[in-house]
Amino acid sequence: MQPRLIVLLGVVAVTVLLPLAGASAGPVGDGDAKSPLPAPSPLPSNTPPPPAGKPGSSLPGLSGASAEAHCGPELSSPDGIEAQTCVLTQGHDTWARTYYRNATGDDLNAVLTVMGPDGRTVQTHCAVGAGDEPGACETPRERSVGEAAEYSAVAEFAASESAALLLRSGSNSASPQGS
């Protein structure tokens, strides 16, 4: 065989075998743990997702004091959107965050609202790109008024601002009012 042909065959072999080696290795440290809707790269890498449906769960890893999360259940729609919405508190601040996956194949819009015990609301609009990668949207942090359990949050996902609602996800953390 000619040396050029041997080199060419070697390059082809490496090109074919290298992706197979990476695929069989899998992600490092993945184990069997399945966390609900993991936080995407736009969030600080040391911010873990909240535990599903566990009010008052601590979120270590945020700078300073640990954060507390009051989260609603993970929900999914037949259209292919999954979400979990939380109210987060850290020190004297409160805000909302929704974790999502958009497997609809279309770009979506999300509106995330956090409602406080004093009647104030903070609302954020987020673009939700097409694709099955996890993502998150959060409201700005505001000074807390009252107890964390008195706050609630809701995220609404739609194909466009005038389109029908695909999914509504809530934190379910507000205390019932009345007797």
Side-chain angles (χ1 to χ4, degrees):
M1 277 191 166
Q2 294 180 347
R4 287 171 59 188
L5 183 59
I6 293 172
V7 170
L8 180 61
L9 289 173
V11 169
V12 169
V14 168
T15 304
V16 169
L17 294 177
L18 193 56
L20 293 175
S24 67
V28 176
D30 186 60
D32 290 332
K34 292 185 180 183
S35 61
L37 303 173
S41 58
L43 300 176
S45 61
N46 60 351
T47 304
K54 294 191 177 176
S57 300
S58 177
L59 289 177
L62 292 175
S63 60
S66 67
E68 195 172 292
H70 295 269
C71 299
E74 266 188 65
L75 300 174
S76 60
S77 77
D79 299 304
I81 183 82
E82 300 174 19
Q84 181 179 27
T85 302
C86 304
V87 171
L88 304 170
T89 55
Q90 182 180 36
H92 298 289
D93 293 332
T94 301
W95 69 103
R97 182 182 296 159
T98 188
Y99 299 91
Y100 60 83
R101 286 185 197 271
N102 176 12
T104 65
D106 296 318
D107 291 338
L108 302 177
N109 293 314
V111 178
L112 175 62
T113 306
V114 62
M115 294 148 287
D118 61 349
R120 283 185 45 174
T121 62
V122 177
Q123 193 172 72
T124 300
H125 294 260
C126 302
V128 177
D132 195 22
E133 291 300 313
C137 171
E138 67 180 48
T139 63
R141 296 176 184 212
E142 296 283 326
R143 185 124 180 120
S144 300
V145 176
E147 298 296 318
E150 296 176 293
Y151 282 81
S152 63
V154 64
E156 298 176 315
F157 296 85
S160 69
E161 290 182 24
S162 62
L165 185 66
L166 298 175
L167 180 69
R168 179 179 288 134
S169 169
S171 65
N172 298 345
S173 64
S175 301
Q177 300 297 319
S179 50

